[in-house]
Amino acid sequence: MGQRTEIRRVFADVDALNRGAAEELCTRCTGAVERQGKCSLVLSGGNTPQGLYQLLAREYRERVPWKNMDIYWGDERYVPHNDPKSNYRRAREILLDQVPIEPTRIHPIPTSSPDPEEAARSYESLLRQKFTGGRATFDIVLLGVGTDGHVASLFPGSTALQERERWVVVTSAPAPPVTRISLTFPALNAASEILLLVSGVEKSAILLELERANKGTGSPLPVSKLSPAGPLLFFVDRQAAGA
Ligand code: 6PG
């Protein structure tokens, strides 16, 4: 893997961070559609991106090429899609039900099978049909980071961190909902760009450890294994930056 291009932008507060992320997404998605007629966007779960999703559904609604967008998820809690904890449900309510996107271009991680392994393999099969070149070349992957340094549902100590072949696996979270479906690093790192949103003082320790890791000590944190084909953008507010 080539040397990753890591770019950090610090914003005054979470509102400015969300606006910066909305601008980046509009630019990236519009450029992808101009180049290739479509754009594949991977959404994140968790709380951090909720403000961004609201901006994309309202103020930035007309600046996203929704009719040419394909929407995926980086991870999912293994709960029904109508469960309040579902990443899919939260993204639909706040964003996708508010914008002119074709339902056939929304690709949730399935959670209806009694066997989560079947769901993981089914999603991987879908991805391999969509990305036929053997790499999950998403145009942009949106991620948050947990206070333990996890990204998507790739948690510290998980064997999934060492996965090198599969694109989608079942993982276990330290907090309920325990069963998760997650993209792996081979899938995440095939992306043309990763946009990672970090907000709040509770995330400052993670960023400090990453700074130390970048100075050569290395880090076991899952987030430190992000190394996309294109830019890795950290959009951080002052609280998380410790500024
Ligand atoms: C999830 C997310 C998860 C999230 C981090 C950060 O399913 O919860 O995919 O990886 O991005 O846990 O969560 P917050 O944004 O709520 O801090």
Side-chain angles (χ1 to χ4, degrees):
M1 186 68 64
Q3 177 67 25
R4 76 182 186 183
T5 308
E6 185 175 318
I7 299 165
R8 175 177 295 197
R9 286 183 61 186
V10 180
F11 296 88
D13 55 34
V14 66
D15 289 339
L17 184 155
N18 288 332
R19 287 183 181 284
E23 291 290 342
E24 173 64 21
L25 279 172
C26 289
T27 301
R28 196 78 192 176
C29 296
T30 303
V33 170
E34 285 168 358
R35 276 195 317 277
Q36 60 194 19
K38 60 182 178 178
C39 176
S40 51
L41 168 62
V42 176
L43 295 181
S44 170
N47 298 316
T48 303
Q50 303 301 310
L52 166 61
Y53 294 164
Q54 283 178 351
L55 279 178
L56 295 175
R58 298 174 189 164
E59 192 170 329
Y60 287 76
R61 185 179 191 276
E62 306 311 318
R63 292 182 48 193
V64 179
W66 295 111
K67 298 206 181 312
N68 302 92
M69 297 289 295
D70 285 298
I71 305 294
Y72 301 88
W73 275 259
D75 69 324
E76 186 57 278
R77 294 86 178 276
Y78 208 69
V79 296
H81 280 166
N82 62 1
D83 186 299
K85 288 188 179 292
S86 163
N87 288 335
Y88 168 68
R89 170 175 164 168
R90 296 178 76 185
R92 278 216 71 137
E93 284 178 341
I94 296 176
L95 173 57
L96 299 174
D97 285 348
Q98 319 303 328
V99 297
I101 185 168
E102 289 298 321
T104 55
R105 304 193 75 140
I106 299 173
H107 311 286
I109 295 172
T111 60
S112 57
S113 164
D115 178 7
E117 179 61 25
E118 180 186 339
R121 293 194 180 281
S122 166
Y123 204 59
E124 175 153 346
S125 173
L126 168 76
L127 295 182
R128 289 184 183 274
Q129 288 167 31
K130 294 289 185 182
F131 299 99
T132 52
R135 287 170 52 75
T137 51
F138 300 111
D139 292 298
I140 187 159
V141 171
L142 186 60
L143 288 173
V145 62
T147 52
D148 60 357
H150 79 262
V151 290
S153 282
L154 299 170
F155 294 93
S158 167
T159 55
L161 302 183
Q162 282 72 46
E163 176 59 48
R164 289 290 172 268
E165 301 303 325
R166 292 182 62 180
W167 293 3
V168 188
V169 294
V170 179
T171 68
S172 294
V178 171
T179 304
R180 307 286 182 99
I181 307 288
S182 183
L183 296 193
T184 60
F185 286 114
L188 295 172
N189 286 334
S192 299
E193 177 175 301
I194 292 178
L195 174 55
L196 199 133
L197 306 184
V198 192
S199 170
V201 66
E202 69 277 9
K203 305 288 176 73
S204 56
I206 291 298
L207 292 177
L208 269 178
E209 179 163 343
L210 279 175
E211 279 170 27
R212 284 193 209 105
N214 287 344
K215 289 178 182 139
T217 56
S219 165
L221 293 179
V223 61
S224 69
K225 297 178 184 305
L226 292 175
S227 184
L232 171 57
L233 304 180
F234 282 81
F235 279 20
V236 180
D237 67 12
R238 277 212 187 117
Q239 277 200 334

